[in-house]
Amino acid sequence: MTIRVLVCDDQALIRTGFTTIIGAQPDMEVVAECGDGRSAVDLAARTHPDVVVMDVRMPVLDGIEATRLLAGAGVADPVKVLVVTTFNLDEYVYEALRAGASGFLLKDAPPAQLLSGIRTVATGAALLDPEVTRQLVGRYAARIRPADGTPGYSPLTPREREVLRLIAEGLSNGEIAAALVISHETVKTYVSRILTKLDLRDRVQAVVYAYRHGLVT
């Protein structure tokens, strides 16, 4: 199966680099490229990509609003969005995750990581860099936690709550298995139950949910 990719970045040099790298892969095809979020939304409607590689800060319509229009709640046919960012500059990438992005990468990530990220997101999985996740979501934890502090994870068992906490701290399934001394398959079962009980789409939403409800500080 060929992964159809739309590349959106207002910096022509970066956009060309991404397009060249992605287009050289036998299992990927760049169906369109553009330099602003509005064009990304319009092109996605015409070309039906599997994954949109999305910058955050762009003219006309920024990546956050474009992501919301492509993958947000209520979108009839959501597109998977992989946000790429310069971490120290794009302080609102968290909002892109809330808007429906399936994950994010740093712009200085090596090409192999970009390609792996596209393949991961295309399968329906979420892509979270553990260290960046801790810094990014943790930085805005206070502003995203509900004012009344009401726990929103009551449907979860104590063990599921612990797994959710470790997910929110950026641990992979393998790292969670090692930390809790359980099998990798058991972790996958816990993750699936957590997403189902809390009506969450993926691990990105689980991270946001945990911070939002004060499970992680």
Side-chain angles (χ1 to χ4, degrees):
M1 176 181 173
T2 299
I3 303 172
R4 296 166 55 81
V5 183
L6 189 157
V7 176
C8 181
D9 195 299
D10 67 331
Q11 297 182 54
L13 187 59
I14 291 178
R15 189 169 68 245
T16 300
F18 284 171
T19 299
T20 301
I21 293 167
I22 296 167
Q25 304 308 302
D27 61 336
M28 297 184 189
E29 175 190 3
V30 177
V31 296
E33 60 175 282
C34 59
D36 66 82
R38 173 53 61 190
S39 297
V41 173
D42 294 342
L43 285 169
R46 296 203 301 268
T47 61
H48 305 289
D50 298 305
V51 177
V52 176
V53 176
M54 181 78 75
D55 190 15
V56 173
R57 295 190 173 187
M58 294 181 293
V60 185
L61 187 71
D62 65 34
I64 294 172
E65 289 305 315
T67 296
R68 187 170 289 112
L69 293 173
L70 290 170
V75 175
D77 188 18
V79 180
K80 297 177 180 67
V81 177
L82 176 61
V83 174
V84 289
T85 175
T86 303
F87 177 68
N88 290 333
L89 296 177
D90 297 330
E91 298 180 346
Y92 296 99
V93 174
Y94 163 74
E95 296 297 337
L97 299 181
R98 290 189 67 185
S102 293
F104 61 87
L105 282 174
L106 301 183
K107 281 189 177 179
D108 60 0
Q113 192 171 346
L114 170 65
L115 298 172
S116 176
I118 292 171
R119 293 185 180 104
T120 297
V121 169
T123 65
L127 180 71
L128 294 172
D129 179 277
E131 183 59 30
V132 177
T133 298
R134 282 192 286 268
Q135 294 183 51
L136 180 63
V137 185
R139 178 183 294 185
Y140 302 104
R143 94 171 46 166
I144 63 180
R145 200 170 296 138
D148 61 8
T150 303
Y153 43 83
S154 55
L156 304 183
T157 65
R159 179 62 102 180
E160 289 167 348
R161 238 181 339 247
E162 179 68 6
V163 172
L164 177 57
R165 182 182 65 79
L166 295 175
I167 291 173
E169 290 181 357
L171 273 66
S172 66
N173 283 0
E175 291 168 332
I176 293 173
L180 300 181
V181 196
I182 55 179
S183 71
H184 191 275
E185 289 303 314
T186 300
V187 174
K188 289 176 65 176
T189 299
Y190 277 127
V191 172
S192 178
R193 287 177 183 169
I194 290 167
L195 297 182
T196 299
K197 286 184 176 182
L198 300 180
D199 193 25
L200 303 174
R201 186 190 62 211
D202 52 35
R203 292 172 74 98
V204 174
Q205 290 192 349
V207 171
V208 173
Y209 190 98
Y211 275 95
R212 199 174 185 181
H213 291 88
L215 187 58
V216 180
T217 58

